Amino acid sequence: MELQEAPNSLKNVRHIILILSGKGGVGKSSVTTQTALSLVNQGFNVGVLDIDLTGPSLPRMFGVESKQVHQSTLGWVPVSVYNDPASPRGNLSLMSLGFLLGNRNNSVVWRGPKKTAMIRQFLKDVVWGTDDIPLDYLLIDTPPGTSDEHIAIAEELRWAQPDGAMIVTTPQQVSTADVRKEINFCKKVGFNVLGIVENMSGFICPHCSECTDIFSSGGGKLLSEQLDIEFLGNVPIDPTFVEMVETQNNDVNEKKLVSLYDKSELKPIMAEIVAKVVNKNLPSRLQ
Amino acid sequence: MAPSIVSERPRESLMSSQLQAPEPEHCPGPESEQAGKGDACDGCPNQSICSTQLPKGPDPDMPIINQRLSQIDHKILVLSGKGGVGKSTFTSMLSWALAADEDMEVGAMDLDICGPSLPRMLGAEGESIHQSNSGWSPVYVADNLGLMSISFMLPDPDSAVIWRGAKKNGLIKQFLKDVHWGEHLDYLVVDTPPGTSDEHLSVTTYMKETGIDGALIVTTPQEVALLDVRKEIDFCRKAGIKILGLVENMSGFVCPNCKGESQIFKPTTGGGEQLCKDLGIPFLGSVPLDPRIGKSCDAGESFFDSYADSPAATAILDVVDALRDQVELSVEGLKLN
């Protein structure tokens, strides 16, 4: 029989937020990364779960590709990305299938049932937070589309009262068309839509500071008006963020992504977006 | 009556709906010869259903699929492990470029079931497909360019297609089995969703017997994308698909104001060209970012018609030429053997 309760691994998690988009390559992982960093900067303890099984990018985004997942008596321990008790920041940990692959170039050619089983295992066996230090936010990064992974995560979270989903889009119509589908998916499975983030909205030329709309602009805002969903903000294209991701070194304190991000021009923009979500004051899952 | 996924469900989906419970992790698949007999089947609530579905011969639909596909000269898959690198954009460009030759019959097939974008890019949104004696007729966006996509079968463009893998396989099979591309097709360009999963496995399995000319891999220059693209190349090698070449999209952007060039997606590990060198696959070229490409795609117009002189159009046409060389070379190679 199916138990009508949340998976055990989530018992010390206060808030769950999914990052969704119907379209690929709009920056779900990038927005997930930056949301996590912004929350950590505000002193929250954050966990990130990557359920993109065939293309996990988060281990690289956080610079922890070579790390391993360890097993404890309670279950799988996510990889710690940032944990500095001396700093006012919170801690950050990550779980991804990328850690379980032998070689980073290996492909994971899995049909649906196996992907479903893997996601179920992630939710069953991973230890997020402890009784003493609960996790404030669990961010779940998803692959594009509305298929096996999404159905599986919706089933697993059915009794877990997630806060809802942040929808990421790029401004062009080709992208918002797919995102509409994803919003319909959220309605069908009962995920609350927290808002829309328009990513890659404009590019500021480093030579002349002229802003060019490479992928046009305003598509996300228009979509949120049409569907009556809160618009969380525009994130411009910033090549320095990609550079930051590529040059970080998680073993050296000054070169950790969390420290590098302090200098990013995207930091205040993302902080504002994240504040909009946090200020919704959604009830904590823990009493 | 026009086929629609609401009124007519693929046969395979009916079959899997007979299963009482979700398939177990290592399910050999209800259609496979091992159904009901594999190790994973022990204890599965569906075991008795699967094991009684005998006899198991070759798939009876395969001869029909093979017959349909034998009328197509060249079949090209457009692949990328990563989403949003421009698979659909490139598929549409390739289709326009091939169809510019009036003597050429071209078909484009969109296998991205959860996020079909080709209809919009080719300017065929809101159309529907028609059924005739010979099968489903694709939507013609030009006299010699047909398009097939799930989006033509949706009741409303916004409806989400929330399907598990088995159901997607059913539809892909129908696309290959039931779509009538006409008497003869010179090129069939197949656009795929990101990843290495059900859609990719199905299309390669079904097309294997008649042969696929090869795959065109699309990537963007940054390492986060290359990481996923390496996985896709690994998949092609496992599945025995020839890689025709790799194209690097969105490489460099020229500011329309000051003409200064910037690398939006920095190739910190050498980009697509280095990847090709490392893995020994042909590098077909790189296409710069051009905001007008996105605009043409949103409007469903041919980028070549509107901006024939732009550097991006020249770059794309060079890639298409290089790709055609690869395809025709490989065909000649086969004849020699």
Side-chain angles (χ1 to χ4, degrees):
Chain A
M1 276 311 290
E2 205 178 318
L3 290 174
Q4 299 199 349
E5 56 181 51
N8 200 32
S9 70
L10 302 177
K11 72 174 180 183
N12 292 317
V13 178
R14 289 208 172 100
H15 298 277
I16 302 172
I17 296 176
L18 294 116
I19 287 84
L20 292 174
S21 170
K23 184 98 187 83
V26 295
K28 284 180 296 302
S29 298
S30 166
V31 168
T32 308
T33 309
Q34 299 188 50
T35 308
L37 294 174
S38 307
L39 286 167
V40 166
N41 280 334
Q42 293 185 27
F44 292 112
N45 293 328
V46 181
V48 181
L49 173 64
D50 182 5
I51 61 165
D52 190 342
L53 304 177
T54 53
S57 353
L58 284 176
R60 176 146 194 111
M61 298 293 276
F62 284 113
V64 286
E65 268 185 302
S66 54
K67 298 280 163 61
Q68 297 259 307
V69 171
H70 295 285
Q71 190 131 27
S72 79
T73 45
L74 296 169
W76 294 353
V77 184
V79 169
S80 171
V81 179
Y82 183 83
N83 190 1
D84 183 3
S87 116
R89 295 185 182 119
N91 64 44
L92 177 58
S93 51
L94 168 67
M95 183 67 210
S96 165
L97 187 69
F99 297 130
L100 308 175
L101 298 178
N103 179 329
R104 65 199 282 260
N105 298 342
N106 278 1
S107 59
V108 177
V109 189
W110 287 358
R111 286 194 183 266
K114 210 161 166 186
K115 292 199 275 195
T116 308
M118 191 71 229
I119 290 170
R120 209 166 275 166
Q121 189 156 21
F122 273 161
L123 282 158
K124 196 165 71 77
D125 291 344
V126 181
V127 211
W128 294 111
T130 59
D131 291 338
D132 303 329
I133 315 167
L135 198 67
D136 294 303
Y137 282 91
L138 175 65
L139 306 176
I140 303 180
D141 185 24
T142 59
T146 47
S147 190
D148 293 283
E149 292 92 338
H150 306 81
I151 301 174
I153 197 78
E155 277 175 353
E156 291 300 311
L157 294 181
R158 193 159 162 208
W159 310 107
Q161 297 153 310
D163 285 17
M166 269 166 83
I167 308 276
V168 184
T169 185
T170 47
Q172 74 274 41
Q173 289 176 28
V174 170
S175 169
T176 55
D178 285 354
V179 169
R180 281 164 193 271
K181 292 179 193 285
E182 198 73 30
I183 292 169
N184 268 326
F185 166 81
C186 289
K187 276 188 198 145
K188 274 199 183 150
V189 299
F191 285 155
N192 176 21
V193 177
L194 296 172
I196 295 176
V197 178
E198 184 179 302
N199 194 22
M200 306 197 192
S201 135
F203 169 69
I204 297 158
C205 175
H207 307 293
C208 65
S209 305
E210 169 90 3
C211 185
T212 313
D213 296 327
I214 296 186
F215 302 106
S216 82
S217 75
K221 179 121 183 79
L222 189 70
L223 184 70
S224 68
E225 278 160 13
Q226 282 167 349
L227 300 176
D228 198 18
I229 293 172
E230 184 175 349
F231 183 67
L232 296 173
N234 291 312
V235 184
I237 300 175
D238 184 354
T240 54
F241 180 69
V242 181
E243 214 177 323
M244 228 173 248
V245 165
E246 302 280 337
T247 52
Q248 65 178 317
N249 182 345
N250 201 49
D251 296 324
V252 184
N253 216 8
E254 303 81 60
K255 288 204 164 173
K256 277 180 185 281
L257 190 59
V258 179
S259 320
L260 291 176
Y261 193 59
D262 274 344
K263 295 183 205 88
S264 174
E265 282 170 28
L266 295 178
K267 190 186 169 192
I269 300 173
M270 272 314 287
E272 203 177 305
I273 290 173
V274 168
K276 280 189 191 162
V277 175
V278 171
N279 291 342
K280 284 180 193 273
N281 279 325
L282 291 164
S284 163
R285 299 176 60 248
L286 306 180
Q287 296 310 314
Chain B
M1 194 202 79
S4 146
I5 56 164
V6 183
S7 58
E8 204 182 333
R9 297 173 66 195
R11 209 148 39 96
E12 280 70 22
S13 71
L14 289 177
M15 188 173 128
S16 47
S17 69
Q18 288 164 4
L19 301 183
Q20 299 161 343
E23 300 101 319
E25 184 178 350
H26 296 285
C27 176
E31 305 91 14
S32 81
E33 285 191 24
Q34 281 299 308
K37 294 184 219 144
D39 289 342
C41 299
D42 292 337
C44 171
N46 305 316
Q47 192 186 11
S48 56
I49 304 173
C50 288
S51 58
T52 50
Q53 280 180 350
L54 293 170
K56 285 263 170 4
D59 191 331
D61 290 329
M62 277 315 284
I64 312 175
I65 294 178
N66 290 343
Q67 213 237 320
R68 286 261 189 225
L69 296 183
S70 64
Q71 293 158 347
I72 303 170
D73 281 351
H74 301 296
K75 297 173 273 288
I76 299 175
L77 296 179
V78 180
L79 293 175
S80 170
K82 184 99 186 85
V85 295
K87 285 179 298 302
S88 301
T89 307
F90 208 85
T91 309
S92 66
M93 299 286 180
L94 183 59
S95 313
W96 286 126
L98 290 170
D101 182 348
E102 280 171 24
D103 299 329
M104 194 102 90
E105 290 290 328
V106 184
M109 187 156 67
D110 186 1
L111 289 191
D112 193 341
I113 289 168
C114 295
S117 336
L118 270 188
R120 175 178 284 271
M121 293 184 177
L122 291 175
E125 226 182 5
E127 302 273 344
S128 57
I129 42 175
H130 300 282
Q131 201 155 20
S132 70
N133 281 343
S134 41
W136 297 352
S137 300
V139 171
Y140 282 90
V141 291
D143 286 344
N144 56 348
L145 174 56
L147 167 66
M148 188 66 208
S149 167
I150 189 176
S151 125
F152 301 136
M153 302 161 83
L154 296 177
D156 166 24
D158 293 349
S159 15
V161 181
I162 310 171
W163 284 7
R164 287 188 186 276
K167 207 166 167 185
K168 294 200 269 195
N169 297 340
L171 186 81
I172 292 173
K173 196 175 184 183
Q174 278 200 303
F175 273 7
L176 293 170
K177 185 165 76 74
D178 293 339
V179 176
H180 180 64
W181 293 103
E183 289 305 307
H184 171 257
L185 208 58
D186 291 288
Y187 274 93
L188 178 69
V189 189
V190 182
D191 185 23
T192 61
T196 48
S197 192
D198 291 281
E199 294 91 337
H200 310 82
L201 281 169
S202 302
V203 74
T204 48
T205 322
Y206 293 138
M207 289 173 88
K208 195 119 206 199
E209 279 186 37
T210 42
I212 303 171
D213 285 68
L216 169 71
I217 312 269
V218 185
T219 185
T220 48
Q222 78 277 37
E223 177 59 25
V224 174
L226 295 176
L227 191 62
D228 289 353
V229 169
R230 283 197 198 97
K231 290 179 200 291
E232 197 75 31
I233 294 171
D234 183 47
F235 164 78
C236 287
R237 298 215 159 133
K238 281 182 189 161
I241 304 168
K242 184 185 148 100
I243 296 171
L244 296 169
L246 180 142
V247 52
E248 184 182 272
N249 196 12
M250 308 193 191
S251 57
F253 169 70
V254 179
C255 174
N257 187 38
C258 68
K259 311 288 174 213
E261 192 171 342
S262 24
Q263 298 288 338
I264 293 187
F265 302 107
K266 270 215 162 120
T268 47
T269 53
E273 198 162 2
Q274 188 59 40
L275 179 85
C276 287
K277 274 188 199 145
D278 294 345
L279 298 176
I281 53 178
F283 180 68
L284 300 179
S286 36
V287 179
L289 261 176
D290 188 333
R292 293 172 300 186
I293 296 182
K295 267 187 209 123
S296 304
C297 286
D298 270 356
E301 290 162 359
S302 166
F303 178 66
F304 305 117
D305 290 355
S306 324
Y307 307 99
D309 309 327
S310 65
T314 326
I316 293 168
L317 288 173
D318 286 348
V319 173
V320 172
D321 284 345
L323 181 74
R324 286 187 64 181
D325 283 351
Q326 285 292 332
V327 171
E328 270 134 50
L329 277 177
S330 70
V331 170
E332 278 161 23
L334 276 179
K335 275 178 193 157
L336 281 175
N337 290 336

